[in-house]
Amino acid sequence: TRGGYFNIYGNENGATGKIQFYAGNVSGGDISFYTQAANKKLTVLETGGITVATVAPATPVSNTLYADSIIKGWCNFSSFTTPGINDDVNVVSLTDQGDGNTDVVWDLDFSGSYAVGLTSNITNGFSEGTVIATTHTNVRTWNASGVLVGRTSTIIAVGDN
């Protein structure tokens, strides 16, 4: 059975200004919010995540979250002799392409266009994300002499996945 109910409490039982959902004896399930036209816009997942179904219009509204503006993956990694992940979200592995040349492989692939931001702890050199494919992004770091060198880098990706 689906049972349960939904209440908005004003100032009751110490829940001032909060919205509460009660599922009764039902366990599990997501909570979705729809527009009057029955278009699903936001879902609070049973697992604790949130999905946003709306993409940004040509002129986005300020202070508004859209599905295509959420950070979909990031990784802090070292690209020295053997690349290693220090911390990440949505990265399954690193592929060593040589010192200072590393593929960051996305766990949940991108379905279309996406953009990356990149930073490294390199002085008098530069970093770039070269190949930006739906499955991975290639990151290279050079020293001031133009030689590929390993560094600790951070990559952030936004887009459709």
Side-chain angles (χ1 to χ4, degrees):
T1 62
R2 299 268 319 154
Y5 57 89
F6 158 86
N7 280 325
I8 299 175
Y9 293 93
N11 190 2
E12 183 175 317
N13 298 325
T16 303
K18 294 184 180 179
I19 296 175
Q20 297 181 346
F21 298 91
Y22 177 70
N25 294 326
V26 178
S27 64
D30 301 337
I31 299 170
S32 295
F33 296 86
Y34 295 80
T35 64
Q36 189 171 0
N39 297 320
K40 184 165 42 170
K41 297 296 182 184
L42 177 75
T43 302
V44 179
L45 304 173
E46 175 187 11
T47 58
I50 295 175
T51 60
V52 180
T54 305
V55 297
T59 304
V61 178
S62 64
N63 301 317
T64 302
L65 180 65
Y66 298 102
D68 54 356
S69 65
I70 299 170
I71 293 175
K72 303 298 176 59
W74 64 268
C75 184
N76 177 273
F77 65 98
S78 298
S79 62
F80 296 98
T81 306
T82 302
I85 296 173
N86 300 320
D87 203 356
D88 76 281
V89 167
N90 190 31
V91 173
V92 68
S93 65
L94 300 175
T95 303
D96 185 5
Q97 302 292 351
D99 200 27
N101 186 358
T102 306
D103 287 343
V104 177
V105 182
W106 304 114
D107 191 14
L108 178 60
D109 295 348
F110 286 84
S111 60
S113 299
Y114 72 99
V116 297
L118 178 66
T119 182
S120 295
N121 69 344
I122 192 165
T123 305
N124 299 323
F126 60 97
S127 301
E128 72 174 2
T130 55
V131 176
I132 301 176
T134 57
T135 58
H136 70 281
T137 301
N138 177 259
V139 176
R140 296 181 185 183
T141 54
W142 288 271
N143 64 17
S145 300
V147 176
L148 284 168
V149 292
R151 290 290 185 255
T152 299
S153 301
T154 301
I155 185 171
I156 299 172
V158 295
D160 301 327
N161 66 348

